[in-house]
Amino acid sequence: MNNALEPGARARATFRGRFGADPQWMARAPGRVNLIGEHTDYNAGFVLPIAIDRDCIAAAGPAPGPLSIFISADTGDTWEVDLGRWAEPEDFDAAFAPGRIHRGSWASYIYGVLRLLHARLATDSLMRPVNLVIASSVPLGGGLSSSASLEVAACLVGEQMLGMNLPGPARAALCREAEHRYAGVPCGIMDQLISVLGRENHALLIDCRDESARAIPMPPASEAVVVVMNSGVRHALAGGEYAARKAACERAAAGLGIATLREATRELLERRVHSIGEEEFRCARHIITENTRTLAAAEALARGNLAAMGRLMNESHASLRHDYRVSCPELDCLVETAQQQPGVFGARMTGAGFGGCAIALVRPEDAHAAVAATAAAYAARHGRELSAFPTSAQPGAARL
Ligand code: ADP
Ligand code: MG
């Protein structure tokens, strides 16, 4: 149902159809494509994402009754929520009857954002009930960060409701905290930060250690386009494997005697190779080389060296596949095929892996043929239809 067309119109129409009035507050927040720097964010490393032309829209207004009503125009389901009974994340599940909101449901992202916003007001008064509709053109669970776009859009309407206006980095941090504590997903800061701070025609080189960001100009559309290729698969082990990699990185850092793998170097890794296990070694090697590649990619992009950028993307995929082991046969098929097509500078999986999306950086005149060839290989090898679309770097979230 996740209709790529006009989420703003769908959100408004759904709101009006259900509540008989226009929404009072609306906001949009984009999904993202990470060009390079994968699994580095929770290791205090570097990432290089763009905000894309796919958004989550949140439309909201005051609710007349005691309960708040959240609706997703995409999944079609509705949650009734009592915002007068704030539950702390520790007893989140216990505080709400089954069938009501629970940890990890999409409503829990919104609930967490509103809860954390309200807590900032330091007031004894309860939050007034709200009707809130979301509609998104970001594929759900496809590695393009529908979750952060949902949080950030909800945060922006929440701020309007409560008369607040947070600085961008604080907004991103609050949204991440909601995802951690209320949705139970231990994500890094990249997705929220790029959704908030995205800049048209620019990627952001984010240093996840201090959360600072530097805008890097993207190549002009006449030279290269970013194509997103959605595998349409989502392997069930994704969540567990994410947590397992994160834990392996923490063990690796501890074994190397450093706080995070950001501080690791190849020399340190070689010197202390016997103080960590093989899994930890591979994870550390990916993070070390990926941080180096991400910095080099930012320089390559800034200089307009697309061949170098493409090579780094290819190397990133190989490292994610062989060292970090978060790719899958479907993503490998898309990436390998795309890499062989004329006009393709480079290709890699993007997002956490085990399904979701791959991206290719390709000359605009060759994009159509490259996608057609990749789709044919994908159909032949995996019997699946490829959904692909070109995208470009867009501005971050905004009130509407
Ligand atoms: P990604 O962020 O890569 O899309 P995640 O697993 O982090 O993948 O987030 C996907 C989850 O976000 C969905 O399972 C759902 O809970 C929630 N979500 C995001 N957007 C929507 C939406 N428009 N409607 C319903 N749920 C949504
Ligand atoms: Mg997400």
Side-chain angles (χ1 to χ4, degrees), residues 145-148 179 191:
S145 196
S146 67
S147 59
E179 184 156 343
D191 298 355

Side-chain angles (χ1 to χ4, degrees), residues 28 32 67 76 94 136 146 178 218 229 302 311 321 353 357 394 396:
R28 52 158 281 269
R32 59 103 185 95
L67 292 179
S136 186
S146 67
M218 288 293 284
M229 301 177 290
R311 268 197 307 278
R321 178 179 179 178
C357 291
Q394 300 292 322

Side-chain angles (χ1 to χ4, degrees), residues 367-388:
H368 186 80
V371 168
T374 307
Y378 195 48
R381 254 192 265 168
H382 293 279
R384 289 185 164 272
E385 194 181 333
L386 176 65
S387 100

Side-chain angles (χ1 to χ4, degrees), residues 218-289:
M218 288 293 284
S222 57
E223 282 180 28
V225 58
V226 175
V227 175
V228 178
M229 301 177 290
N230 192 343
S231 71
V233 299
R234 183 89 185 136
H235 292 295
L237 38 65
E241 293 291 324
Y242 184 95
R245 294 303 177 283
K246 199 169 175 219
C249 288
E250 282 160 12
R251 288 195 306 273
L256 295 172
I258 49 182
T260 68
L261 286 181
R262 164 64 175 273
E263 282 104 83
T265 59
R266 295 188 89 127
E267 297 71 54
L268 178 67
L269 188 60
E270 296 304 333
R271 193 150 34 86
R272 311 255 336 223
V273 61
H274 299 299
S275 58
I276 58 177
E278 200 211 328
E279 169 75 359
E280 290 75 17
F281 178 85
R282 283 171 184 271
C283 288
R285 185 163 61 187
H286 168 72
I287 299 302
I288 294 166
T289 57

Side-chain angles (χ1 to χ4, degrees), residues 72 74-75 104 106 109 134 136 139-147 150 179:
S72 168
D74 301 310
T75 59
W106 59 263
Y109 295 81
I134 54 166
S136 186
L140 306 192
L144 303 183
S145 196
S146 67
S147 59
L150 165 60
E179 184 156 343

